[in-house]
Amino acid sequence: MTENLIQKYNIPVPRYTSYPPANFFHDHFTQTDYLKAIELSNHANPSHISFYLHIPFCRHLCHYCGCNSFPMMKQENIDRYVRAIFKEIEMVKPLLNKNRKIAQIHYGGGTPTVLPVSVLKEINDRLLDGFETIQSPEIAIECHPGYLDEKYWQDLTGAHFNRFSLGIQDFDEQVLKTANRRPSLIPVEHIFQILREADAKINMDFIFGLPLQTVESFSNTISKAIELNPDRLVTFSYAHVPWVSKRQLILEKAGLPDSETKKALFEQASKLLADAHYLPVGMDHFVRKEDELYQALHAKQLHRNFQGYCTRRTTGQVYAFGVTGIGQLNSAYIQNVKTIQEYMEVIESGNLPIAKGYTLTDEEQITRAVIESLMCNYAIYWEELSTHLQLEKDEILKAIRYKESELLAFQEDGLIHFSEQGIEMTPKGKLFVRNVAASLDKLMENTTKKFSKPV
């Protein structure tokens, strides 16, 4: 890949973890709008249910984090927050059709593992009560190994969880120190032993693009991860968005790798993982051939929601609980209020804590399907999409921003294969799939929204 190509396409574009992106949500979305969206969701596809729990507290705030996280509070406030979570569940859950099945439960944050395991288990018990699940539902939690002892890990395996995401980020302790991230409290090998004995699935999360990372040091980190043999390994590109998180300015002062170095970090990590028979899925996941994510990708049926990549089997409409949680229904997105205090007060007043949302037009729902196909499967096949959406190809093309001249330019640069049948990303072009997706998005015309760069 030439430096000219990087310079041309390394421009701010949405990550498209949702469509429209979250910075298009608006604050005149009301509780009435949400209740209407819930009712519609009971009669829409996918019919499965996904629950998301946002636990915002962190013992220490990592400088790289752009997530909605907050410093630890007094215990009485944490207890109050948990009570609010339970009450929000009680307000939303009865509105869902009991014939629907739970496919996913996911805990994010913040650091969900700041809560006692007994509390996490009680939340899961409440969510699961009264609903059937699909076969082998995914019940996952993001874990910060820096604070968890052996007993905590053992107790977690008895609280319904069957997938654990270990937020390692890097094995180099100097990199972690600069990022204000604490290394694992107990050897990661021992964590794996505990989780494997419980027949759990293990993800390992890493970030590339942090200060002090070199190709050699990050290669050592990935090599150590490969030795541990996780089920999935994720290499997130550090997104420098100091207008969202001012803490990131600390890393800017420490010195961030330039785009060429950052690209080299990713490429070397990808090579090591390929040599170890991990296969790429989406922009940042690497899995074994037998993993259902890879099987879905191979069948061009990979999906994504705010919980991450998923298959059609586990895809569900997302109902979110907790401060800043984002619900993802067929016809709408709903985001909760941003401060813990307001969240608790609104819930205690008997109202749903909605801050903003977005109701999708029919055209935007079509665009969402097109962009999701490209972002997840690196391809769009018009005939297959027409069958899935029950629309003619011309109707789909009319809904999106379809400019043949721009697609031909991507093809001339070697990023895509473009024909009447569809669009396929080339191996070289996959790094810039966000750019191609943005070219199909009418909302990107004359927008003033801010986004991160692909590299």
Side-chain angles (χ1 to χ4, degrees):
M1 185 178 295
T2 66
E3 180 63 26
N4 289 340
L5 213 54
I6 295 173
Q7 292 298 324
K8 181 176 182 179
Y9 290 111
N10 194 30
I11 58 175
V13 282
R15 284 179 172 250
Y16 288 117
T17 51
S18 71
Y19 183 83
N23 53 357
F24 281 86
F25 300 173
H26 51 74
D27 58 11
H28 49 273
F29 188 94
T30 66
Q31 178 166 294
T32 299
D33 294 325
Y34 184 23
L35 294 175
K36 181 180 178 181
I38 291 176
E39 172 58 26
L40 290 172
S41 74
N42 283 321
H43 311 285
N45 288 318
S47 63
H48 293 336
I49 294 169
S50 292
F51 289 126
Y52 174 74
L53 289 300
H54 193 80
I55 310 301
F57 309 109
C58 290
R59 289 186 173 87
H60 291 92
L61 298 178
C62 303
H63 298 328
Y64 56 77
C65 185
C67 301
N68 296 305
S69 53
F70 299 83
M72 288 291 283
M73 304 175 74
K74 293 181 179 179
Q75 188 59 48
E76 63 252 35
N77 286 327
I78 295 176
D79 293 342
R80 183 185 173 193
Y81 181 83
V82 170
R83 289 195 298 271
I85 286 272
F86 281 126
K87 186 167 183 179
E88 188 181 9
I89 291 171
E90 291 167 2
M91 294 169 71
V92 171
K93 191 179 163 188
L95 303 177
L96 306 182
N97 188 317
K98 295 299 185 291
N99 292 323
R100 300 171 65 191
K101 294 183 179 181
I102 295 173
Q104 286 180 314
I105 300 175
H106 187 97
Y107 287 73
T111 307
T113 50
V114 300
L115 295 182
V117 176
S118 59
V119 173
L120 296 171
K121 183 178 184 303
E122 186 177 358
I123 295 173
N124 281 337
D125 287 338
R126 295 275 188 97
L127 293 172
L128 293 165
D129 182 48
F131 283 92
E132 293 185 13
T133 68
I134 65 169
Q135 185 176 1
S136 302
E138 185 169 275
I139 304 180
I141 185 166
E142 298 171 10
C143 308
H144 187 340
Y147 300 93
L148 307 184
D149 61 17
E150 180 178 359
K151 184 178 186 306
Y152 194 100
W153 288 108
Q154 290 172 338
D155 290 345
L156 266 183
T157 62
H160 300 292
F161 295 106
N162 55 25
R163 184 174 292 279
F164 299 82
S165 290
L166 310 188
I168 303 296
Q169 318 312 356
D170 201 306
F171 281 120
D172 188 312
E173 294 197 9
Q174 285 304 308
V175 172
L176 294 180
K177 184 177 180 180
T178 302
N180 200 37
R181 180 78 175 182
R182 185 171 175 174
S184 184
L185 179 65
I186 66 175
V188 179
E189 294 83 353
H190 189 35
I191 297 172
F192 266 67
Q193 181 183 353
I194 294 169
L195 299 182
R196 291 301 190 205
E197 287 176 355
D199 200 28
K201 300 293 186 181
I202 305 174
N203 295 9
M204 296 183 80
D205 297 341
F206 298 92
I207 296 176
F208 66 94
L210 297 175
L212 305 186
Q213 284 181 332
T214 65
V215 172
E216 181 181 3
S217 73
F218 197 61
S219 295
N220 291 337
T221 282
I222 297 301
S223 295
K224 181 174 180 178
I226 289 169
E227 289 176 6
L228 291 163
N229 194 30
D231 298 286
R232 297 175 184 170
L233 194 148
V234 188
T235 55
F236 292 113
S237 171
Y238 167 64
H240 191 57
V241 286
W243 58 88
V244 174
S245 175
K246 291 184 178 179
R247 290 193 305 275
Q248 293 187 345
L249 291 172
I250 299 172
L251 298 186
E252 192 173 300
K253 292 178 181 177
L256 294 168
D258 58 28
S259 60
E260 185 66 24
T261 301
K262 193 175 180 185
K263 178 178 71 73
L265 292 170
F266 176 74
E267 289 180 345
Q268 180 61 18
S270 299
K271 182 181 184 303
L272 290 169
L273 289 162
D275 291 345
H277 307 293
Y278 281 92
L279 301 165
V281 171
M283 292 186 294
D284 40 36
H285 281 54
F286 295 85
V287 304
R288 298 294 191 186
K289 188 175 183 179
E290 61 272 15
D291 193 291
E292 65 175 344
L293 287 186
Y294 181 76
Q295 299 296 329
L297 175 64
H298 187 68
K300 302 298 182 185
Q301 294 184 346
L302 189 66
H303 289 258
R304 186 180 181 114
N305 58 26
F306 282 114
Q307 275 93 310
Y309 291 106
C310 52
T311 66
R312 284 189 178 174
R313 185 186 76 83
T314 57
T315 296
Q317 296 183 71
V318 180
Y319 304 84
F321 305 105
V323 64
T324 74
I326 301 178
Q328 190 172 4
L329 308 185
N330 181 64
S331 65
Y333 296 99
I334 307 92
Q335 184 164 21
N336 283 348
V337 296
K338 288 189 175 182
T339 71
I340 295 173
Q341 185 66 28
E342 183 182 7
Y343 170 76
M344 295 187 298
E345 290 175 355
V346 173
I347 288 288
E348 289 164 357
S349 72
N351 293 302
L352 291 166
I354 300 161
K356 57 180 67 174
Y358 195 98
T359 300
L360 285 81
T361 65
D362 291 344
E363 189 174 81
E364 288 166 345
Q365 290 182 41
I366 295 169
T367 305
R368 175 177 60 189
V370 171
I371 288 180
E372 181 188 78
S373 179
L374 186 66
M375 293 296 299
C376 291
N377 302 299
Y378 291 125
I380 301 168
Y381 301 114
W382 301 121
E383 184 177 349
E384 180 179 306
L385 202 58
S386 294
T387 301
H388 177 64
L389 295 175
Q390 297 183 325
L391 294 170
E392 295 296 325
K393 176 184 172 182
D394 288 346
E395 294 178 278
I396 298 173
L397 297 185
K398 185 178 179 181
I400 65 176
R401 184 181 181 274
Y402 187 77
K403 303 287 186 181
E404 284 196 9
S405 59
E406 293 187 17
L407 294 172
L408 287 170
F410 285 128
Q411 183 164 265
E412 288 173 5
D413 284 336
L415 302 189
I416 67 172
H417 295 304
F418 166 55
S419 69
E420 287 294 317
Q421 285 68 48
I423 302 168
E424 294 180 341
M425 302 300 302
T426 65
K428 181 171 69 172
K430 287 181 178 180
L431 186 61
F432 299 108
V433 64
R434 291 162 56 181
N435 302 68
V436 180
S439 77
L440 303 171
D441 183 359
K442 289 182 178 180
L443 292 176
M444 288 298 101
E445 295 178 329
N446 304 315
T447 183
T448 59
K449 305 291 185 184
K450 290 184 176 182
F451 307 102
S452 63
K453 295 180 180 181
V455 180

